[in-house]
Amino acid sequence: MKKGFSFLLAVILMAGILTPSALADDVINEKLGVPIVVYGANLSESELDIVKKDLKVAEEAEVEELSVDGNDLIKYIPGGDRNARMYSSAKITRQEEGEGLVINIVTPDNITQVTADMYATAMLTAGIEDAIVEVAAPKKVTGHSALVGIYKAYEVSGEVLDTERTDTANDELNLATKLSEKAGVDKDEVAKLLTDIKKQIAEQKPATKEDVEKIVNEQLSKLNIQLSDADRQLLIDLMDRISKLDIDFTKLNEQLSDMASKIKDKLGDIDPGFWEKVKEFFRNMADSLKSLFS
């Protein structure tokens, strides 16, 4: 009888270990705030439901929900169209200083132009760092409105973004997508090119635009990327602007290098000791069953 009771108690205890509450990240961070989810304003009700599911909004203990429309677009991206249709959405979870950026495009087939690395390099140029950012869209879109949503989320959370940096970041993202879409350069190569140029700017600290041009040309040659004279000049002009901003380019490069290894499923974040408890329980359960019937 004692053995049977012990076995039953073990089952009850194990059920407690495996309940969803033990797995869910249901703690509200009072220091950094709750995740902020920003939806494209032109999503239909059914599309909104899809995006919420993709971003796992229901799994959060609490979230702040916003939307972005054409008015936000022209506020954060000069020259944007107030009547633009906004569909791509993002969930932003602030992290402790030094954690870096983790960008996860959860619907990669529907974000056609902007890659995770492109989002990261633009965000860091804008001065946004130490966050987990998840991007989703219910249909094929370029992905630009998600960046607008990220800017809005940061201002809502109390941050003040430097407009010169956000303007430059927007131009960087536009040039990155232009090079990949129209100049035929692989998207990953574009991200690597931008990162490598910034790294060299950080190391060499170019004093003149001619110095920046030399860095750009060297990196284009190193990666064997051929650009038209017009696109090459756009890149030089952009990097000259970036070289004059107060950016820690070395940190940016380190974050991009580390980014891929940080993107993982939530289950991968469970303490490895948890799985040892699971295995130990089933070993004990097997022993208990043998004892019950022996």
Side-chain angles (χ1 to χ4, degrees):
M1 186 71 177
K2 274 187 176 180
K3 291 180 180 176
F5 177 76
S6 298
F7 171 67
L8 179 61
L9 181 60
V11 173
I12 292 171
L13 289 173
M14 187 58 199
I17 293 174
L18 289 175
T19 52
S21 61
L23 301 178
D25 184 13
D26 57 359
V27 177
I28 296 173
N29 192 319
E30 295 180 310
K31 176 184 176 183
L32 300 176
V34 300
I36 299 177
V37 186
V38 189
Y39 305 107
N42 295 105
L43 293 169
S44 67
E45 286 299 320
S46 60
E47 289 171 338
L48 185 61
D49 289 340
I50 292 171
V51 168
K52 286 185 176 184
K53 186 177 296 185
D54 287 335
L55 294 177
K56 299 182 179 179
V57 174
E59 296 182 19
E60 300 291 346
E62 188 176 326
V63 297
E64 182 171 357
E65 296 176 285
L66 310 169
S67 65
V68 287
D69 58 21
N71 292 319
D72 296 302
L73 178 65
I74 62 173
K75 175 182 178 180
Y76 296 109
I77 300 182
D81 182 0
R82 186 187 298 274
N83 298 313
R85 311 286 288 178
M86 312 287 276
Y87 295 102
S88 55
S89 306
K91 181 171 74 174
I92 301 92
T93 306
R94 303 288 296 276
Q95 299 292 290
E96 295 286 353
E97 184 177 350
E99 290 293 318
L101 279 175
V102 175
I103 314 295
N104 184 13
I105 300 179
V106 298
T107 57
D109 291 340
N110 286 342
I111 305 295
T112 63
Q113 287 189 1
V114 188
T115 68
D117 283 357
M118 289 178 187
Y119 278 121
T121 190
M123 287 171 62
L124 288 166
T125 297
I128 297 172
E129 51 191 51
D130 303 315
I132 297 172
V133 179
E134 298 162 271
V135 180
K139 62 179 72 175
K140 291 187 182 299
V141 295
T142 61
H144 287 80
S145 66
L147 186 62
V148 177
I150 293 165
Y151 290 163
K152 184 172 183 176
Y154 266 75
E155 287 210 335
V156 167
S157 67
E159 295 287 339
V160 178
L161 296 176
D162 185 327
T163 54
E164 184 178 3
R165 290 183 66 163
T166 56
D167 288 351
T168 305
N170 296 330
D171 290 343
E172 180 180 351
L173 188 61
N174 287 333
L175 180 58
T177 54
K178 180 180 186 294
L179 294 180
S180 63
E181 292 290 314
K182 296 182 179 178
V185 183
D186 180 81
K187 291 179 181 179
D188 292 335
E189 287 293 298
V190 170
K192 180 172 176 54
L193 173 66
L194 296 175
T195 303
D196 287 353
I197 292 173
K198 290 176 183 178
K199 182 177 179 180
Q200 291 304 311
I201 287 174
E203 292 177 357
Q204 298 182 34
K205 298 179 176 57
T208 66
K209 189 171 185 177
E210 287 71 26
D211 294 333
V212 173
E213 181 175 3
K214 181 180 177 183
I215 291 173
V216 170
N217 289 334
E218 286 174 349
Q219 295 308 307
L220 286 170
S221 177
K222 181 180 176 181
L223 295 174
N224 196 27
I225 295 175
Q226 304 294 324
L227 297 180
S228 68
D229 290 342
D231 287 339
R232 183 187 297 264
Q233 192 59 53
L234 286 174
L235 182 58
I236 293 168
D237 292 344
L238 173 69
M239 287 301 164
D240 185 53
R241 288 170 59 194
I242 289 177
S243 71
K244 293 176 172 60
L245 298 175
D246 182 20
I247 298 176
D248 186 343
F249 297 107
T250 302
K251 182 178 180 181
L252 180 149
N253 185 57
E254 290 171 354
Q255 288 180 324
L256 286 178
S257 300
D258 191 49
M259 187 169 54
S261 64
K262 288 186 176 180
I263 298 175
K264 52 187 175 181
D265 191 271
K266 285 185 177 180
L267 285 177
D269 291 327
I270 295 176
D271 181 356
F274 169 81
W275 298 115
E276 288 304 316
K277 291 178 183 177
V278 173
K279 288 188 284 186
E280 181 64 24
F281 167 77
F282 283 110
R283 281 195 295 266
N284 292 339
M285 184 173 68
D287 291 339
S288 297
L289 284 172
K290 289 178 183 177
S291 300
L292 279 172
F293 296 102
S294 61

